[in-house]
Amino acid sequence: AGGGGGGGGDGGPGSSSPGGTGTGGPAVLSPTTIPEPYVTDPFSAEPLLEHLRHLDAATATLPQLLTAADADVHLHSARIRAVLTSDPTVLTTYDPATDALMLERSQRRQRTEEEMGRLEAEAGSILRSLDRGPGRGQMTQAEVTQERLERWGRALELYVWQGGGGVGGGGVGGSADGASAGGGKHSAQKGGGNQSQNQNHQIDLLTLLEKLCEDCPGEEELSEALSQASQMCGALVEETALSVRDCTEDAAEAEDAYHIRLEAHAILSRRAVASAGTIEEQFRTNGRAALHIGQQLEMAEAKRRQCESAAVLIRRWWTMENLAEQEESTGETLRVDEEVRGVIPPSAGRMDPLYTNPDDSLEAAKALKMLRTVVRQRGSNPAGGALGLDRQSLRRFELTSGLIRRTSEALESRLLSSFSGIYTRGGAYDFDFVPAASGGVGGGGGIGGGGIGRTGRTGGRLDWVALRELAEALTYFDNGRSLHKRYVQMVVFSRFPEFVATGGGSGRRGGGKRSALAADNAGGGGATAGADADEGDAADLDDLDMDATRSQLSTLFHRVCEVCTAEFQLIAHVFSSSAVSMSANAGGGGSTYDTSQMDAVPLRVARALLQRVISDPRNGLQARIDDVLATIDRRGGVDAGAKKLDTFVVVHEKAAVLFTLLKDAAREHLVPQKDSEGESLAAHHRAVSSLVQFLSTQEIALSEGHRRGYLNLELRMLHHECCANLDNVGARLCRPMQMAADPLISAAGRAGGSGPGVYQAPLVPLDKGGVKKAGFATLLNGPLKQSVLRQPLINATDSLARARLMFGGSQGGTGGDADATARVITAIYSQMCTFYGQAYLFPIIESLGEMLRPSAPSQPPNLPFKEDSPPHDLGVDGSFWVGIERIHSAAKAFDRELWAEQRTGSVRVFEILVGTRSNTCLAQAKERRVRFFQELEERGEAAILRALDTLSVHIQWILVAGGESMLATGGSRLLHSVTGKGSGPYAVPTGSALDATNSPAVKSLTYCLRAQFVHTQAALTSESLSAFWTALSMRLYDILVARLLQHYYVSTVGAVILSRDVEALRSVAMLAGRDHSHWDNLRELLTLYMTPPDSLRTMLVGADGDINSGKGLFGRAGRDQALVFMSRRVDYRVKTNQGMKKCQWVVDLLDDLGVYDPTDQQVNIALYSAEQSRKGST
């Protein structure tokens, strides 16, 4: 094996594998010199990384790693070249700059790029040249063919290098250093800019073949052209294959170089990760040690503070004990209060300056609290045995504890006076303004003017920082209870003078005068004590202005909200920092903040303020509202009740707004917005939620106290207004009747709180006798007047609005209030259904039916009626239908105005109940509504059926009594000769004149029915009108047919008039309704009276003469019915000596048909009624 260079080392150009030795020998590769994978497939062999592996991975630097990686890259390339050239000496002499293969590939790549550049530049001319003719004249065919092949060869090159692969689609070739190869580089630089131009130079292979085959007329020319084209393609294939191979080899070498360098970086990265883990472990170990040291230091510091605190406490106890002994020994009482308040100058005082200097108030308060703690612990063991004290020591202890108590009381009194002075002096609440201070709690400067030693000017603003410092100091006295009580009293006295009890007199509220609201409304000034006060009260009741009262209530609610919102801000800034608690072992070293106390103090102060302002039983907001309501109650009367209802609503509405604003203010101002830890902020939120719950309780207490009174008064006033509405129009009412308890109203009693049962209105119905006696005109102008019908609905809608505000406005219609709202709304709706139905509309509609005359006059009518005069009412006055129409409109208005299911946003019964989500109340209200309309519909149907009966009676009166008194032609029957065999108005003798279109009875009846239809159509709905007029049509048919088949005979002339009458009655009957087929059957049956006897067979059975064919009148109307109607012909029977006998043609016809005569027996007329006729036609 050829001799390789020296092994090992960092490697460089020309170095071989480490440890290799070189000996002379033939030029044959040895596996010991070049690894086997290189010999098998050099480009697929994995680099062995000898240089990188011989480095120390724990100490090698990045430059060393990169140098070793470059050496491995160089060695890897040298081995590949040695295998490719079969020359082992390349391992020692390889240099990429002089590598023949690299140079050759570089030259090929350069030539390829130049050629592609030329093709790109000449692409347009190359494609155009395919279609050009010879380049010069006088050329032979061989020259032309050769020129055309050369042009085609250039186009083929363009297709291969740019068209097939696409310009910008990548090229071939490459280099070991990762540079882009051949066409790829060229396309990356130029392809994007010339993209639109290249798209115009695209050409496909089929086009090239077509261009090649053009101008080749013979097979020889074509064969020659294809042969040369094949040679061109072969050359291009070899060229492109060489470029692809170059590119593949360069890419493989570049990939190997990349992986080798990547391994160098990976070694460094793994070492860095291991170092980071070590550093982290050291950090944790050292951190735990530091934490342990810190805890020990904190314990030592805590012990030091405890010792200092104990020393300070002993020193202060000794000072107090010394003063107490001096006081006892000298017999001169120590003027503690004067010295602490500054009346005695410090130079002349005997007490410790800590307690007399206002600047040290906070420290003094802390010291006194610790001293009181010592006294309190001693007080738990009065005998002193546990402490081992003798009698003299106990005496000193008692003297010292007494002095500590007096000093604490004096200091607390001074701090309270300072707090009261600053707050009373007042000023704007500007919490962004911080007055300048000289340091400490007091800040310097004494307590003059109630301050605590602040040097800055407030400029008309409240010195809230001084208040906060004073509150912090006062916290050490019974947790600040005296301060909280004093603060609430100051707010009430300064902001709400009407909430302050006044002495003297014999008025309400514990001897105080009547409320400020009632006093402000009184006319003529204040009242004096005794009898003068009573006279003043009576005068005030007469002159009470409810509008002014409501205005003052609104003003009071607004002031409560405004003041409480402002005070919430002050409480949050003044009292939130006063929850500093001293640990038993943290004497002089500092203080810690107790989070729970910080949460409790501001909320406790706010709660005390709200309790005093709103719920004080003698002088709070609730008491003042009760005063106003009591003043209204003493007035009495209906007007006072209406005003009290309005006052209830105003109070409740304003209270709802007030408590909503107070809750928002509590959430906004009592919760810190910044500088709060997560746990502390959560505790604040819990405390504020507790205050909000307290406000909700106060709201419920304020509202529930009035809800039952409101509900009883609402139901009573609603019933009174509805009854008064009827009384005002002169309607007579029956005596009140107490009904069974309405369960829906009783259920509403649970929504009004505890107390007596809810009001159940009695039933006071209209007097039906009075209604009938007054008549239709009085009824329409009285109870059925539109304004009278509408007024109860207006009252009811007002009640619904008030009830919704009282029971559903405070909490958005959810929770308990939602159920209460649903029950109250249901109760109001049930009471209105009872009144509007049983007391109002039901008696009227029953009276309308009873006012109709169900019997006809005894005398026959004087026919015909004159059409220029009003038509006969047929027993049903037009006012009856007007009344029905108004009742129907009132029922629709009742449902539209109160229930209003289809009116979105109407805020009526249905929408309110749906909003409360009370399915029980909604179902009960629906059932009550359905029952109301069912009862109204039943009574309405009864009245309309009575009107139908009345019309039927009068129709028979006109047709029978009036029609039978005259002939159909209009003459009186008494003036005509009677033949003895004819009767009825249609037995008109032959030859009589047919001047009249209809008989007088039918003419008059149709005139009256058409007039009646106008009233009926205006009163009834389309469905009701159709049913009613269909029933009337059937009754009219039954009256006419029954009289015809029982009493009338029809002649040929009379049949013409009868046909006209039937047509007239049918036209009237078809004014409304859906099915009038019975009239069509009657029209066909009337042809039996106008047909000669010899044509009757065809008429009865059809032209075929078959009785079973189903044709003729037998098939359409029925055999018996056709024969019965035929029997009423005048010539059907003749009078003989033996009595009435059938004519011969009748006997022959019946024999010929083979049927019997149904009139030989008693005829059941009911079988031929309109109902039966319609069934038969069906």
Side-chain angles (χ1 to χ4, degrees), residues 10 27 102 433 470 571 586 640 663 686 718 793-794 829 879 966 995 1041 1100 1123:
D10 290 339
M102 292 290 293
F433 168 75
L470 290 168
I571 290 170
K663 293 173 187 177
R686 289 193 298 270
L718 177 60
L793 306 181
I794 297 175
Y829 183 69
S879 300
M966 305 181 66
D995 297 335
V1041 170
L1100 292 174
L1123 294 176

Side-chain angles (χ1 to χ4, degrees), residues 666-690:
R667 296 187 184 98
E668 179 179 358
H669 301 302
L670 293 179
V671 176
Q673 303 297 324
K674 58 183 179 179
D675 299 335
S676 296
E677 298 295 336
E679 182 179 357
S680 176
L681 186 60
H684 275 87
H685 279 291
R686 289 193 298 270
V688 172
S689 298
S690 176

Side-chain angles (χ1 to χ4, degrees), residues 20 43 66 189 240 294 320 329 421 444 485 528 541 576 621 669 717 744 758 767 791-792 837 855 873 959 1052 1087:
F43 290 104
L66 293 179
Q189 295 175 350
T240 55
M320 283 290 186
S329 62
K485 186 181 297 184
T528 61
L541 293 176
S576 61
L621 179 63
H669 301 302
M717 289 301 299
L744 300 184
V758 70
D767 184 11
Q791 189 59 42
S855 60
D873 59 8
L959 287 180
T1052 303
T1087 58

